[in-house]
Amino acid sequence: MAEPDLRIGIDVGGTNTDAVVLDSGDRVIAKAKRPTSRDVTEGLRAALDAVLDELGPHAHGRVGRVMLGTTHATNAILERRNLGRVAVLRLGAPATTAVPPLSDWPDGLREVVSAGEAVVPGGHYVDGREIGRLDPGSIRRFLDGVEADAVAVTAVFSPATADHERAAEELIRSEYGLPVSVSHEIGSLGLLERENATVLNAALYEVAGHVTSALTAALAERGLAATPYLAQNDGTLMTLEHAARLPVSTIGSGPANSLRGAAFLSGVPDAVVADVGGTSTDLGVLTGGFPRESAAAVEIGGVLTNFRMPDILAIALGGGTVVRGAKAGPDSVGYRIAEEALVFGGGTATLTDAAVAAGRRPPGVTWDLGDISEDFRDTLQRAIAATDALAADAVDRMTLGRAGRPLVAVGGGAFLLPERIPGVSRVIRPEHAEVANAVGAAIALASGRVDTIMPAGESRTKAIERVRREAAARAVAAGADPDRVQIVDLLEVPLSYLAEPAVRIHAKAAGPLTR
């Protein structure tokens, strides 16, 4: 039997699900784009079948890995479905009681997710001193009074001192047998936002189980003995076991995959990326080949969180965006574009039609608007000019006014963008740009990170080395080869206005998957 030298990348978008096959030389040898289904899974299966059919039956044994970037978790939160009931436990009393857990959650989501909330003694100050001693009795009394599918545990300053979270986790697992989401593994500094992310993570355990079982079943049904991975929202991968523990990390993986794919296909590590889909355009910035991360709190389904997410600006500019007069959007025909757009014989004017009127088409495509009036053609051209201005404004917002970077245009609607855009040095349209998101999933590394606080009096060298080792260990846990893990990001920030000097250290490690 041939050695497994192929890998498949799949990315589920709002309009299409894309799949690619890469060989050992990182060449794209098969690709497919299929409409995303409402349940997500059927669209995934269709895209997988399409690339397998292109490979032929004898190549199935050569597939060693399958990487998936999916919207299952995002959809579950937005639609309030398939979410587990979570017992929300904060370790921080007598502090933090003025703002109870989930205070800023939308009522509908809180009713679906929360099985009860409690603030009990525990947590630490920034310098590692205890706010209060951990009280196992308080934890037991709370859990004895709720019916939950999982428990979310958040302690004050746990990214710096996680002892109380670990002790509470051990108690809950051993005495109650419930899955536990602990905040020091998920978010960074900022109690309420980290707590929110931890609760969402616990609520997604059932969704994660569905995704992993559906993916493994799809591979087994097709006779694939490949190792499956899920994409994270920082442009890297994790094993299914890791994803089952941290499902919230899959939220936002699509834009991250697109940015990583754009860097790979273009060979440009520092650029602005515009991923133009059927409904919207996501703009991001590449720094060293990885997505620039958002420095602000990220809102998901009306809930503020502080876990890592790419810095993405989404605008209502897509191939299916509806044109009315000289204005476009914000609504879109989405995956129905093949039936509704004028160039496909439909009756709805879209930005795809406006682009064709302006002489823009994907390479090798001969779309034609047929016999339309000159007035209507002029209206469509004015609509595409208006969206060109919208794109230029978005680029200016992402570059913060600093011109000179190139822009890499990817996605199925990349042809909508003009050849020249103010604020960028040039527009690059790489080969296979229409499936850049799936390519990004296929070429991704595994990673781990640590964001913590340490007293400034501690030996700086020893402190940084300890954080580096922990980040590398987390990368290995996510699936990276221990011998090839490297530190790709290290940030050290002195903290002001504290009684004792301290420093915040952020480290990210990444490496190729284990062979």
Side-chain angles (χ1 to χ4, degrees):
M1 179 180 289
E3 286 293 320
D5 60 340
L6 305 180
R7 59 193 187 278
I8 297 176
I10 305 172
D11 189 88
V12 180
T15 302
N16 292 302
T17 295
D18 300 337
V20 298
V21 182
L22 271 61
D23 64 13
S24 58
D26 290 336
R27 293 179 291 269
V28 176
I29 61 173
K31 58 184 177 181
K33 188 180 288 284
R34 293 293 182 269
T36 295
S37 59
R38 177 169 176 77
D39 69 349
V40 178
T41 303
E42 287 308 310
L44 183 162
R45 292 171 182 263
L48 178 59
D49 285 338
V51 291
L52 290 176
D53 289 345
E54 190 172 340
L55 285 178
H58 300 297
H60 289 199
R62 295 174 56 195
V63 179
R65 294 175 181 141
V66 175
M67 296 82 158
L68 171 65
T70 178
T71 57
H72 279 85
T74 306
N75 292 350
I77 294 171
L78 296 179
E79 298 173 14
R80 299 353 186 202
R81 59 181 174 85
N82 299 327
L83 297 173
R85 300 279 289 173
V86 180
V88 183
L89 181 65
R90 183 192 295 172
L91 311 180
T96 79
T97 56
V99 183
L102 313 190
S103 297
D104 59 347
W105 279 45
D107 291 340
L109 183 59
R110 183 173 181 173
E111 290 172 5
V112 169
V113 170
S114 177
E117 306 110 35
V119 183
V120 303
H124 293 79
Y125 292 104
V126 66
D127 60 3
R129 291 179 295 122
E130 288 186 342
I131 294 173
R133 293 182 64 83
L134 187 66
D135 182 2
S138 296
I139 297 174
R140 293 187 181 99
R141 285 191 293 274
F142 167 59
L143 294 178
D144 287 342
V146 299
E147 293 184 8
D149 302 308
V151 182
V153 179
T154 306
V156 179
F157 278 115
S158 63
T161 309
D163 296 351
H164 285 183
E165 282 192 359
R166 293 192 181 101
E169 178 186 17
E170 183 178 352
L171 183 154
I172 295 165
R173 289 187 186 279
S174 62
E175 297 187 18
Y176 293 87
L178 292 171
V180 183
S181 175
V182 286
S183 77
H184 70 273
E185 294 182 348
I186 296 166
S188 55
L189 299 178
L191 175 67
L192 299 181
E193 293 84 0
R194 186 174 76 253
E195 182 175 62
N196 290 343
T198 306
V199 176
L200 288 178
N201 188 70
L204 289 168
Y205 283 146
E206 181 180 341
V207 175
H210 170 70
V211 173
T212 55
S213 61
L215 180 57
T216 53
L219 300 183
E221 290 166 4
R222 289 151 182 80
L224 297 177
T227 304
Y229 296 87
L230 289 185
Q232 300 191 81
N233 46 25
D234 64 348
T236 61
L237 298 168
M238 55 184 169
T239 62
L240 294 192
E241 295 77 15
H242 199 71
R245 183 173 176 84
L246 298 174
V248 77
S249 296
T250 65
I251 295 175
S253 62
N257 286 341
S258 295
L259 267 68
R260 287 281 292 150
F264 176 79
L265 293 172
S266 66
V268 179
D270 299 288
V272 180
V273 175
D275 180 12
V276 189
T279 303
S280 64
T281 294
D282 291 332
L283 289 97
V285 176
L286 284 168
T287 303
F290 285 89
R292 183 177 73 190
E293 295 183 5
S294 174
V298 178
E299 185 175 298
I300 301 169
V303 176
L304 281 179
T305 68
N306 67 352
F307 62 87
R308 62 185 183 276
M309 286 282 278
D311 186 8
I312 297 294
L313 173 63
I315 58 175
L317 190 166
T321 301
V322 177
V323 174
R324 296 181 181 86
K327 295 183 179 180
D331 54 324
S332 169
V333 298
Y335 63 85
R336 303 188 309 276
I337 186 172
E339 294 89 39
E340 297 201 20
L342 299 180
V343 293
F344 296 115
T348 304
T350 66
L351 276 182
T352 293
D353 305 309
V356 171
R360 303 176 194 173
R361 296 175 180 83
V365 174
T366 57
W367 291 336
D368 192 352
L369 287 170
D371 190 17
I372 63 172
S373 69
E374 285 303 314
D375 285 346
F376 185 46
R377 188 179 296 273
D378 179 66
T379 299
L380 291 176
Q381 290 175 346
R382 284 188 286 124
I384 200 71
T387 59
D388 288 350
L390 178 65
D393 177 68
V395 167
D396 184 62
R397 289 167 64 185
M398 291 306 291
T399 58
L400 306 177
R402 295 197 295 267
R405 288 186 174 127
L407 180 140
V408 183
V410 298
F415 67 94
L416 297 177
L417 298 178
E419 288 300 322
R420 294 186 179 180
I421 299 177
V424 298
S425 60
R426 58 193 172 115
V427 177
I428 302 172
R429 305 174 193 271
E431 187 180 9
H432 308 303
E434 73 278 12
V435 289
N437 46 3
V439 171
I443 57 97
L445 308 174
S447 75
R449 66 179 61 217
V450 175
D451 192 340
T452 188
I453 296 175
M454 293 190 171
E458 183 176 350
S459 168
R460 176 181 175 276
T461 302
K462 289 182 179 179
I464 291 177
E465 184 57 33
R466 187 163 69 253
V467 172
R468 289 166 64 101
R469 286 197 304 270
E470 186 175 347
R474 292 188 181 186
V476 171
D481 185 337
D483 297 327
R484 297 192 287 170
V485 170
Q486 294 182 336
I487 301 298
V488 297
D489 188 21
L490 184 64
L491 182 65
E492 184 181 358
V493 182
L495 299 180
S496 305
Y497 308 111
L498 299 177
E500 298 291 336
V503 62
R504 179 178 182 179
I505 301 177
H506 170 88
K508 177 180 177 180
L513 297 173
T514 302
R515 291 171 177 168

